[in-house]
Amino acid sequence: MSIAERFVTRYSTTMGGVMPGKKTFALALTLALAVPVSAKLDTDKVYQPVSPTVEQARANILIARQLQFTHFRDLSINDSLSGDVFDAYLDYLDGQRVYLTQKDIDKLSAIRLGLGSALKTGQLQPGFDIYNLVQQRIIERLEFALDLIDNGIDKLDFSADERILLDRSDADWAADREALDDLWVKRIKNAVLAQRLNDSDDESIKEALQRRYEGQLKRAYQARSEDAFQAYMNAFAGMWDPHTSYFSPRTSENFNINMSLSLEGIGAVLQSDNEYTKVVRLVPGGPASKQGQLEPADRIVSVKQDDEEKPVNVIGWRLDEVVDLIRGPRESTVTLEVIPADAPDETVTETIAIERDKVKLEEQSASKEVIEFERGNTTYSIGVINIPTFYADFKAMQDGDPNYKSTTRDVRKLIDELKADGVDGVVMDLRNNGGGALHEANDLVGLFIEEGPTVQIRNSNNDVQVLNDEDPSVAYDGPLVVLVNRMSASASEIFAGAIQDYGRGLVVGSQTFGKGTVQAVRPLNHGQLKITQSKFYRVSGGSTQHKGVIPDIEIPSRVDKTRIGEDALDHALPWDQIEAVPHARYFDFSGVIDELRKRHDTRFEENPEFSLLQKEIEFLKQQREQEYVSLNLEKRKEYQSQIESTRLTIANARRAIHGEEAFESLDALDDWQDEQAAEPDNADDELDFIIREGGNIMADMLELDQRMASILAPKQITAQADTLSGKSGQ
């Protein structure tokens, strides 16, 4: 029986005559899916369509109710949402538009507006029918690719003036099967050409591509009901916001293990990204973070254990299975083949070997250093405190250990040590800090202010809770600079926003991530639902959601803000604001900020490190803007030569700055990077020039207004709108 026939049988008996329009919907689907999914292919295998279970239907109904009645966003399940779910589901199943044709889409569009009403009542078959059709198309494409490779990659023509679109997420669907064939010939040519230019011989290329596509084909044949359900529910839940998602029972298990921090692995947060597994962020102090090569937005292609000769291709694998491969015992090594976030196309990969270990709390702990600056006859001593994450040892806390570790406790000790050293100011480094314990962000603000609110939390009923620092003591009353970047998120944004709102210090760096929502994990009869229930707001009333924190002094970043950040995510909750809550204003920087920015700009114009950073940013931008890549051998060689030359030039410019010998070739650079990755403790310890710039800004502040030496003197604290600086004109 075909998918369409099974659907009509089921729906004509359960829906006929009960609700208006349901028979019409079923008949429309009959026309849409008159394709026998179990048709025999060139292989002796037959794809077995997956079907929903009673437990999944019940979970679907619970999810729909929770989304409608408890999510922060008020969103109805209607025809408009139905169309959006349909589009999101197809994006998940075929995000690069390389499996389905326009003819398939035209047929499927008959059910576009019917998904919403079906999802309300746990009728999952339409979503499963779409999934089964896509799986069949995937199998057909992979069979085509393998046949093409078996026919001989030496027969491919690289002399024609052809090119291929790198990102097809917004491209038109291929018109028909013939157009899709042409596209896949180009995809294979692109993969072969990239590996040939990487000095691989044809036999190795053939073996690698066969292993890749055979692995994907095996996964397609092994599709499970849970795969379809999780994909469908995540497309549905993602309509409310990108942090609301469904966890299958197996994914729930992995999520709970990660939350307990008992997982032995590489210390990376992963998520599904179409057919790839993508790195979301690295756990501070974890093996991957310490190793230094893996980056957020890298996509994993294959995984190899240290006792295996060949890697396992994981394209198309389920997230939980990729996690299982990467997880392993301490001191064992796992090798990942990844597509780097800045790769010009998906054929460019990098191999990264990481030794597994537990993420130790002490390696996430705050740390300090002292740097000095000469300004004329004056020497300024600046303390730098690095906070990788907002942590707390909850178990030790619950056990009553008076010496339990936490961010606030550790920073208080470091501040006491820096004060004993006689520092003139403190720089708090929150770059790459993805957040953590909310109460720690609240308590940390309290080290720098007297009593007052630190953050507001609004729920879906518009009830607002205000977290306060109720301790009038102040650990540090001197001038303060907070460093942030695009990877500073959540609790980091709460701290930086509060410091900015209180006029307690300057925020320096790049716009933060913009993750200003709170999620709760709720059990279902089958799996769990992670749902957004609240939103963070600063004491000044503005949300940290979507916008993040805008620095007072901007420093450009290599991170592509169009790909990483809350505002780069589909259906992200918008920025808004509520009423401010009364809070002190310790200093008004308006009288000095223009001069501080002017000095900063002048310093950076003369700084070779900053000049190099700008070149790197421009280089990465140009690569990201490359929409097409040539399939002509000579043109591709020229393009690759330009990229390699630029990489080598930038690397040698940095070597020159540090007085080191230049690399003679790109191979020498790659070998050196491999050596550094193998021995991360021996990496270049040259002081981060952005940290130094934070110290320079601090020295500028002290020069411009000596009263900043103690901007928290009790006599200076006034009402919210008052100012301390006579230079501000207020």
Side-chain angles (χ1 to χ4, degrees):
M1 183 182 290
S2 73
I3 293 179
E5 290 168 338
R6 287 188 295 102
F7 180 85
V8 172
T9 300
R10 179 180 301 234
Y11 280 75
S12 60
T13 56
T14 61
M15 297 165 55
V18 177
M19 298 180 68
K22 293 300 180 183
K23 279 190 174 181
T24 306
F25 176 40
L27 290 172
L29 190 62
T30 306
L31 298 175
L33 295 176
V35 179
V37 170
S38 59
K40 192 78 169 178
L41 299 171
D42 291 339
T43 175
D44 58 353
K45 294 182 180 179
V46 175
Y47 174 67
Q48 299 298 325
V50 296
S51 301
T53 67
V54 173
E55 289 79 11
Q56 290 168 349
R58 290 174 180 165
N60 172 203
I61 294 171
L62 291 173
I63 290 169
R65 289 176 181 171
Q66 297 242 20
L67 292 174
Q68 288 183 96
F69 301 120
T70 66
H71 194 282
F72 185 88
R73 173 176 262 158
D74 183 13
L75 197 61
S76 299
I77 301 177
N78 51 30
D79 288 351
S80 175
L81 182 81
S82 179
D84 290 340
V85 173
F86 178 84
D87 292 337
Y89 190 34
L90 287 182
D91 279 344
Y92 181 87
L93 296 175
D94 188 11
Q96 285 298 303
R97 304 190 172 191
V98 295
Y99 300 119
L100 298 176
T101 66
Q102 186 61 53
K103 288 184 177 181
D104 291 324
I105 301 302
D106 292 341
K107 291 177 182 178
L108 290 174
S109 62
I111 64 169
R112 180 185 180 88
L113 298 183
L115 294 183
S117 56
L119 283 163
K120 277 185 181 180
T121 53
Q123 297 166 27
L124 295 169
Q125 194 62 47
F128 274 67
D129 287 336
I130 293 172
Y131 182 87
N132 284 323
L133 178 65
V134 173
Q135 291 304 111
Q136 176 182 329
R137 295 292 185 253
I138 289 173
I139 289 170
E140 291 170 356
R141 285 298 104 205
L142 295 173
E143 291 284 3
F144 176 86
L146 287 166
D147 285 345
L148 188 65
I149 295 167
D150 287 341
N151 209 31
I153 59 177
D154 58 316
K155 296 178 182 177
L156 297 173
D157 178 17
F158 295 101
S159 62
D161 192 14
E162 293 181 311
R163 62 178 188 167
I164 187 171
L165 180 64
L166 295 175
D167 181 5
R168 289 185 48 81
S169 57
D170 294 321
D172 293 334
W173 297 95
D176 49 31
R177 185 186 296 265
E178 289 71 25
L180 210 50
D181 286 348
D182 181 62
L183 171 61
W184 272 80
V185 170
K186 288 183 177 180
R187 283 168 61 84
I188 299 298
K189 289 171 101 172
N190 187 38
V192 171
L193 188 53
Q195 292 193 49
R196 279 183 178 174
L197 293 174
N198 199 32
D199 297 328
S200 295
D201 60 73
D202 279 4
E203 190 59 36
S204 299
I205 296 171
K206 179 180 178 180
E207 182 182 345
L209 292 178
Q210 284 177 328
R211 188 166 59 244
R212 171 173 177 170
Y213 293 128
E214 285 170 356
Q216 290 177 251
L217 188 61
K218 181 180 178 182
R219 306 314 299 175
Y221 277 119
Q222 293 176 345
R224 303 179 308 177
S225 174
E226 201 59 48
D227 301 335
F229 182 65
Q230 182 162 287
Y232 195 27
M233 287 303 98
N234 277 321
F236 178 41
M239 294 297 101
W240 275 258
D241 87 306
H243 303 292
T244 294
S245 57
Y246 167 73
F247 296 155
S248 69
R250 179 63 185 278
T251 307
S252 300
E253 177 188 341
N254 281 320
F255 177 79
N256 294 334
I257 290 173
N258 277 309
M259 290 300 97
S260 70
L261 289 180
S262 64
L263 177 66
E264 289 184 352
I266 63 171
V269 178
L270 309 175
Q271 72 177 29
S272 293
D273 182 23
N274 295 316
E275 59 186 354
Y276 290 102
T277 298
K278 183 173 74 173
V279 178
V280 179
R281 65 180 176 86
L282 304 180
V283 178
S289 176
K290 292 165 65 178
Q291 196 268 359
Q293 284 182 287
L294 197 66
E295 297 284 350
D298 286 356
R299 289 172 292 170
I300 300 173
V301 173
S302 71
V303 179
K304 188 179 83 69
Q305 312 302 333
D306 51 8
D307 60 349
E308 295 176 346
E309 291 185 11
K310 295 182 179 180
V312 177
N313 187 283
V314 295
I315 299 175
W317 279 41
R318 294 180 286 272
L319 178 62
D320 60 318
E321 294 185 330
V322 178
V323 170
D324 281 345
L325 272 187
I326 294 175
R327 182 188 299 169
R330 294 180 61 182
E331 298 182 356
S332 62
T333 299
V334 61
T335 301
L336 306 181
E337 181 189 3
V338 304
I339 302 170
D342 57 358
D345 67 79
E346 64 180 26
T347 64
V348 176
T349 63
E350 177 182 359
T351 300
I352 302 173
I354 303 171
E355 184 175 297
R356 299 178 177 104
D357 201 352
K358 277 191 175 181
V359 178
K360 302 180 180 67
L361 188 61
E362 60 268 23
E363 293 180 347
Q364 299 184 47
S365 299
S367 59
K368 70 173 175 65
E369 60 184 317
V370 177
I371 54 179
E372 294 186 344
F373 298 87
E374 299 290 338
R375 295 290 181 89
N377 295 324
T378 304
T379 299
Y380 292 104
S381 179
I382 309 298
V384 179
I385 296 177
N386 176 258
I387 304 178
T389 186
F390 285 85
Y391 55 89
D393 189 340
F394 294 107
K395 186 178 185 304
M397 189 190 312
Q398 292 168 353
D399 291 344
D401 183 348
N403 299 313
Y404 73 88
K405 286 181 67 64
S406 76
T407 299
T408 306
R409 284 169 163 250
D410 290 348
V411 170
R412 185 188 293 274
K413 293 176 184 176
L414 296 176
I415 286 173
D416 289 343
E417 293 170 7
L418 290 173
K419 288 195 297 188
D421 291 338
V423 298
D424 299 298
V426 169
V427 174
M428 300 286 285
D429 188 359
L430 297 183
R431 290 173 304 162
N432 303 317
N433 183 320
L438 173 62
H439 71 87
E440 285 301 318
N442 174 67
D443 292 348
L444 191 66
V445 174
L447 298 183
F448 302 93
I449 65 168
E450 293 194 328
E451 295 173 291
T454 61
V455 66
Q456 305 184 75
I457 306 171
R458 179 166 72 102
N459 65 20
S460 57
N461 295 322
N462 289 322
D463 298 324
V464 178
Q465 175 191 8
V466 180
L467 297 189
N468 290 277
D469 165 43
E470 298 177 353
D471 183 356
S473 66
V474 177
Y476 175 71
D477 66 358
L480 185 67
V481 165
V482 180
L483 294 180
V484 295
N485 64 6
R486 189 61 165 179
M487 301 308 295
S488 304
S490 197
S492 296
E493 297 173 291
I494 291 171
F495 177 82
I499 294 299
Q500 198 175 53
D501 288 340
Y502 273 89
R504 182 58 190 83
L506 280 180
V507 178
V508 175
S510 53
Q511 180 182 7
T512 60
F513 193 94
K515 206 284 191 178
T517 55
V518 185
Q519 284 73 41
V521 178
R522 296 178 180 172
L524 303 167
N525 68 301
H526 185 77
Q528 296 175 309
L529 179 67
K530 180 162 69 79
I531 188 168
T532 298
Q533 59 182 14
S534 306
K535 203 171 177 181
F536 290 131
Y537 294 83
R538 294 163 59 157
V539 295
S540 56
S543 175
T544 57
Q545 169 63 18
H546 210 275
K547 275 189 180 181
V549 177
I550 308 298
D552 300 295
I553 296 178
E554 184 93 16
I555 297 178
S557 169
R558 298 179 182 87
V559 176
D560 179 9
K561 292 198 292 186
T562 66
R563 296 179 63 188
I564 296 178
E566 190 75 9
D567 54 4
L569 301 175
D570 291 336
H571 307 289
L573 293 179
W575 179 90
D576 63 343
Q577 61 185 82
I578 59 177
E579 289 187 13
V581 288
H583 58 280
R585 181 76 181 174
Y586 294 107
F587 195 86
D588 184 351
F589 288 95
S590 61
V592 296
I593 192 64
D594 288 342
E595 178 62 23
L596 289 174
R597 288 171 179 156
K598 180 180 177 182
R599 291 189 180 194
H600 161 74
D601 291 342
T602 299
R603 209 160 32 240
F604 265 28
E605 285 174 6
E606 301 170 353
N607 188 323
E609 285 275 16
F610 179 64
S611 175
L612 198 56
L613 174 62
Q614 288 179 308
K615 288 180 180 177
E616 284 183 291
I617 292 172
E618 183 59 32
F619 171 57
L620 294 173
K621 181 182 177 184
Q622 288 175 359
Q623 285 191 274
R624 287 191 289 261
E625 290 176 348
Q626 188 84 15
E627 294 185 5
Y628 291 87
V629 65
S630 176
L631 298 177
N632 177 280
L633 176 61
E634 296 307 318
K635 288 186 177 181
R636 188 67 167 269
K637 280 182 178 179
E638 182 180 354
Y639 172 64
Q640 179 158 316
S641 177
Q642 291 173 351
I643 292 176
E644 293 177 349
S645 175
T646 304
R647 277 189 61 203
L648 189 59
T649 299
I650 291 173
N652 282 336
R654 178 165 285 113
R655 302 277 286 183
I657 290 171
H658 300 318
E660 297 169 339
E661 187 176 341
F663 296 113
E664 294 183 359
S665 66
L666 194 66
D667 287 341
L669 168 60
D670 290 338
D671 290 344
W672 178 83
Q673 289 177 332
D674 290 342
E675 291 172 6
Q676 296 299 301
E679 299 290 341
D681 292 339
N682 296 332
D684 184 4
D685 62 355
E686 182 72 23
L687 187 62
D688 187 335
F689 84 96
I690 293 179
I691 290 180
R692 292 198 66 85
E693 180 56 20
N696 272 312
I697 291 170
M698 176 74 69
D700 291 339
M701 289 164 58
L702 291 167
E703 283 187 345
L704 291 171
D705 198 326
Q706 285 296 323
R707 280 171 293 179
M708 284 189 183
S710 182
I711 65 176
L712 278 181
K715 64 181 180 181
Q716 292 179 316
I717 298 178
T718 61
Q720 176 182 347
D722 290 346
T723 179
L724 302 180
S725 175
K727 297 179 182 180
S728 67
Q730 292 190 14

